[in-house]
Each structure stands twice: as C-alpha cells, then as structure tokens.
Amino acid sequence: MTTSAPTVVLVHGAFADASSFARVIPELLADGLEVLAPAVPNRSLHGDAAYIASIVRRIPGPVILVGHSYGGAVITVAGVEDNVRALVYLAGYALEEGESLGELQGRFPDPELASALVLTPFPAEGSAEPGTDVTVGTDKFPAIFAADVDPDLARTLAVSQRPLATAAFTEAAPVAAWKTKPSWGLVSSADRTINPDVERFGYQRASMTTVEVDSSHLVMLAHPKKVADLIREAVRSTGA
C-alpha cells in the first residue's frame, strides 16, 4: 500500500475551464494535497486525453484523476497511465471502450442543452476545411448550465466559455480506464446539460461507487464540499 499522498488532477469539461474548480481547490489544498487543474484544449478526445496523460506522466507519485462533464471522457482514456490510482467522475461521461460521446448520449432523450448550442466555424490548422466549435448560447447558459450558481458568476461564465470542437463528439474511446481503476461517480440529478440518466448509466455500467446531488451541471461551484468529500474518499482509497 502506498504511503505517499496523491496529486489530485482536476480535468474540466466543455464550455468551462479550470476556474470551474475554484471552490473545490481550496478544500483540497487545506487537506495538504497537491492539486493541479490544467487547461484542456477541448479539440478532440484523443488529443485531449493524450495531453492530460502527458501531464500525469510528469507527476512523481500517485494521481487521482477527476473529470467533470466531457472531462469524464478524457479521464476514461488518460486514466490508464500507470500512476493513476483512482478516477472520479463529476456529472461526467464514463465511456465504454470503442464508444463515442455521441453514441452514449444517443441512448437517451436529449437534455435542454441540445436546443441551446451554437456552432461556430474556426480555421483548422493543416486543413482547407474549417473546424466547428460548440458553445452554449450566452442567454441560455445560466439556466441550463449553472442554475444554482450565483447569478452574477453564471453570467460571467456564459461569456468566457471554452468551446468544444465537434470532433470530440465522434471519436471513440480507445480504452476505458474504469475497467482497471477504482472509480467514483457523482450524478447531478437536476442536470439540464447532460441527461442525468446518461451519468447513471455510465457509472452503473462501470460498477462505480455513486452519489447523487441535487445540483445543476456545475456541481463543483454549486456544491464544492460534496464534491471535495467524494474526492477525499477516492484519496483515502490510495492508503494516503
């Protein structure tokens, strides 16, 4: 059993950035944990997972990978790194090997988010064809993404979104780290961004330890102590 404290790596999802963990990070730092919240490129599942995996490999010691929303798909792939000891999914996608986000979502009715998405072309390096970025309409973002977050903060988040390229929806996960790593899952039961049944299905399929919180999609900002408690449970699993 390892005795060294793990580093908690917090992986944000689409339409948000690492600041979405701003209320959870102080909780973890107060526990004496090392914490890292990198910026995810949000360009493709394979590329984003490779980027997070490269960060994980540079950490000397065990890692707890925490993924919110699309970040759940990213840690599903990046979590196979040797020093990853546990996975924590926050209102996230727990993909099966060979499955894409679009395929998992397609099993269930669309959430309200589907009618609020905005598609914007961007110049794709090395290609004559533009890529497509996805964001949430700024007028709809607070209610759909952050209904129980401070309204002023929600409006700020709405105009500072980190887009997700559509390529990320169609790439299949080449591996599923939850098959070999202990995993925890949090369902945001009032989620209007991801159908909560998508979260439940993925977690149950992976036989995760699961909790439900009556929260919007941005559970880390709305209920930071509950999120921190779940991460602490994963940390304790390492024997730290």
Side-chain angles (χ1 to χ4, degrees):
M1 180 179 293
T2 181
T3 57
S4 61
T7 298
V8 178
V9 178
L10 303 167
V11 181
H12 68 79
F15 322 131
D17 58 25
S19 68
S20 59
F21 291 104
R23 296 188 67 195
V24 172
I25 290 172
E27 294 269 342
L28 302 176
L29 292 177
D31 290 346
L33 292 167
E34 295 291 332
V35 180
L36 188 61
V40 183
N42 283 3
R43 299 293 83 190
S44 70
L45 177 57
H46 295 170
D48 295 339
Y51 177 72
I52 294 300
S54 73
I55 291 173
V56 168
R57 285 195 296 273
R58 293 198 298 270
I59 296 173
V63 169
I64 305 294
L65 266 183
V66 181
H68 173 247
S69 189
Y70 166 67
V74 174
I75 70 170
T76 296
V77 180
V80 297
E81 290 298 314
D82 289 343
N83 58 332
V84 173
R85 296 292 181 264
L87 308 171
V88 180
Y89 291 78
L90 307 174
Y93 294 101
L95 299 179
E96 172 62 279
E97 184 176 337
E99 182 178 58
S100 70
L101 268 73
E103 288 169 339
L104 177 55
Q105 286 195 142
R107 297 170 180 258
F108 301 89
D110 284 339
E112 291 182 53
L113 174 74
S115 62
L117 295 176
V118 177
L119 306 183
T120 306
F122 68 88
E125 186 177 356
S127 174
E129 297 296 321
T132 303
D133 266 341
V134 184
T135 54
V136 184
T138 54
D139 58 331
K140 298 178 179 179
F141 182 101
I144 291 176
F145 208 74
D148 51 358
V149 173
D150 175 81
D152 289 337
L153 176 57
R155 286 192 290 271
T156 298
L157 295 171
V159 299
S160 58
Q161 296 176 54
R162 192 176 187 93
L164 180 67
T166 55
F169 289 96
T170 58
E171 288 186 351
V175 292
W178 50 258
K179 290 180 180 290
T180 57
K181 307 293 173 82
S183 303
W184 284 257
L186 184 150
V187 175
S188 289
S189 59
D191 205 330
R192 299 162 69 181
T193 297
I194 298 177
N195 185 330
D197 285 338
V198 172
E199 301 164 22
R200 294 184 184 105
F201 174 81
Y203 301 166
Q204 290 167 3
R205 179 171 61 182
S207 299
M208 292 186 197
T209 301
T210 303
V211 299
E212 298 219 4
V213 178
D214 182 13
S215 176
S216 70
H217 192 58
L218 279 179
V219 64
M220 311 89 71
L221 289 172
H223 301 278
K225 291 187 181 300
K226 292 182 178 180
V227 169
D229 282 345
L230 190 65
I231 296 171
R232 290 177 180 122
E233 187 174 337
V235 169
R236 286 193 294 271
S237 78
T238 68

